[in-house]
Amino acid sequence: MGFLSNRTWIHAWLFLSPAMILLIAFTHYPAAVTLFHSFFSTPRGKRPARFVGLENYETLLADETFWTVLGNNLWYALGTIPASIAIAILMALWVDSNLKGRSFVRMAYFTPTVLPLIAVANIWMFFYTPGFGLIDQISGAFGIAQHNWLGDPETALNAVIVVAVWKEAGFFMIFYLAALQTIPASLREAAAIEGAGRWYFFRRVTFPLLMPTTLFVSVNAVINSFRLVDHIFVMTEGGPDNASSLLLFYIYETSFRFWDTAYASTLTVALLALLFAVAIGQFLLLDKRVHYR
């Protein structure tokens, strides 16, 4: 009996070991090394890194660019997360109904998701091109003046938000569509017999049953909102005057353009701490509303 128990224990660890090795090698170890490097200076030439304690964090708190970029990222998250989730739910409800040609509609909604990020950025750069872009061509037909959407500090970040919502909503729709198809038809029939309207059924039955999916999607949406680099790199390069720069793009610039790896590590630690706090808040806020059975 003891031999079988030990054998089961060994098998369990063998099954877990590939995932554990990958998780430790590509998540926990890099995070620990990044935290370690944030307490040292950047090595340059023959000058090795030296321990500076909290000096990098003091620089972080006094860095005006960091606070500008952080504000941009919070606005970007506020603009992309609720909009992409709400649009995804609406699209899922539509393509889950008795719609003619719904397979084609599903494919059309999901197409932006499979496009490479660089391709998406270039497509939307054509839309936003002043004078020649699709948006200015359409607005010009109605007598609206041309506008440099990506070159105006007031509209650059909002233009990037539109691109992100366009790309992510179709991806989130797939999860909601799968969740909708698990809801028993008997619930709809019982609600129809009781005279419940569509909105009442959605608010009281459908949406509560979608809460596990909403929790999963919202966590992914938060992560996506803080890891965007490609669109910024291609469309605006963080400009004008850091108006569209986000936190991960600022980390990329600090590390690879200015070669200040120690300060980039400090920025990364700040990003990880922010994501950790947001994730904990999401679980504490939404977990009470999640019904798995």
Side-chain angles (χ1 to χ4, degrees):
M1 192 72 177
F3 172 75
L4 292 176
S5 177
N6 291 335
R7 187 175 180 181
T8 302
W9 180 84
I10 293 173
H11 285 171
W13 279 107
L14 287 175
F15 280 117
L16 288 173
S17 59
M20 289 180 59
I21 292 171
L22 290 174
L23 190 63
I24 293 172
F26 294 101
T27 302
H28 299 313
Y29 176 73
V33 171
T34 299
L35 178 63
F36 176 78
H37 285 312
S38 68
F39 296 105
F40 289 81
S41 64
T42 300
R44 299 184 185 279
K46 295 183 178 181
R47 186 181 66 185
R50 59 183 180 84
F51 181 77
V52 295
L54 297 177
E55 183 178 322
N56 288 323
Y57 291 92
E58 294 174 356
T59 303
L60 176 72
L61 295 176
D63 186 1
E64 294 183 1
T65 303
F66 165 74
W67 293 109
T68 299
V69 168
L70 180 61
N72 291 342
N73 220 142
L74 294 177
W75 176 253
Y76 176 84
L78 185 63
T80 56
I81 296 171
S84 59
I85 291 176
I87 294 173
I89 293 175
L90 291 175
M91 292 192 303
L93 289 171
W94 192 30
V95 299
D96 189 51
S97 62
N98 294 324
L99 178 69
K100 291 183 178 180
R102 60 181 179 179
S103 297
F104 174 77
V105 177
R106 291 176 182 178
M107 182 185 68
Y109 284 160
F110 190 69
T111 298
T113 301
V114 300
L115 293 176
L117 292 173
I118 302 299
V120 170
N122 281 285
I123 290 171
W124 279 89
M125 280 188 69
F126 165 72
F127 291 165
Y128 287 135
T129 301
F132 301 98
L134 182 63
I135 295 176
D136 273 0
Q137 290 290 330
I138 295 175
S139 60
F142 295 95
I144 302 175
Q146 299 177 2
H147 184 73
N148 188 355
W149 297 95
L150 297 177
D152 186 349
E154 299 294 329
T155 60
L157 185 58
N158 293 329
V160 177
I161 288 174
V162 171
V163 178
V165 172
W166 178 80
K167 182 170 175 59
E168 291 184 359
F171 177 67
F172 296 151
M173 178 207 69
I174 297 300
F175 297 103
Y176 280 113
L177 180 60
L180 286 172
Q181 292 176 347
T182 63
I183 297 177
S186 58
L187 295 179
R188 297 185 178 89
E189 295 170 358
I193 294 173
E194 293 294 329
R198 291 184 178 181
W199 168 245
Y200 184 84
F201 180 77
F202 172 78
R203 184 168 57 89
R204 304 292 294 183
V205 179
T206 304
F207 189 69
L209 292 176
L210 292 177
M211 285 307 296
T213 304
T214 301
L215 177 60
F216 171 78
V217 166
S218 64
V219 171
N220 280 273
V222 168
I223 294 173
N224 290 344
S225 67
F226 282 92
R227 69 178 182 89
L228 183 71
V229 172
D230 310 71
H231 291 172
I232 302 298
F233 185 83
V234 174
M235 299 177 69
T236 65
E237 293 190 356
D241 194 23
N242 291 318
S244 62
S245 181
L246 301 181
L247 189 51
L248 192 58
F249 182 77
Y250 185 44
I251 294 173
Y252 158 77
E253 280 194 316
T254 303
S255 182
F256 296 101
R257 182 170 295 179
F258 306 122
W259 206 252
D260 191 352
T261 55
Y263 188 53
S265 298
T266 308
L267 292 169
T268 304
V269 171
L271 174 60
L272 293 175
L274 179 62
L275 288 176
F276 177 78
V278 172
I280 293 297
Q282 282 182 294
F283 279 100
L284 291 177
L285 180 64
L286 296 179
D287 192 56
K288 295 180 180 179
R289 299 177 178 270
V290 172
H291 307 282
Y292 294 97
R293 292 184 180 179

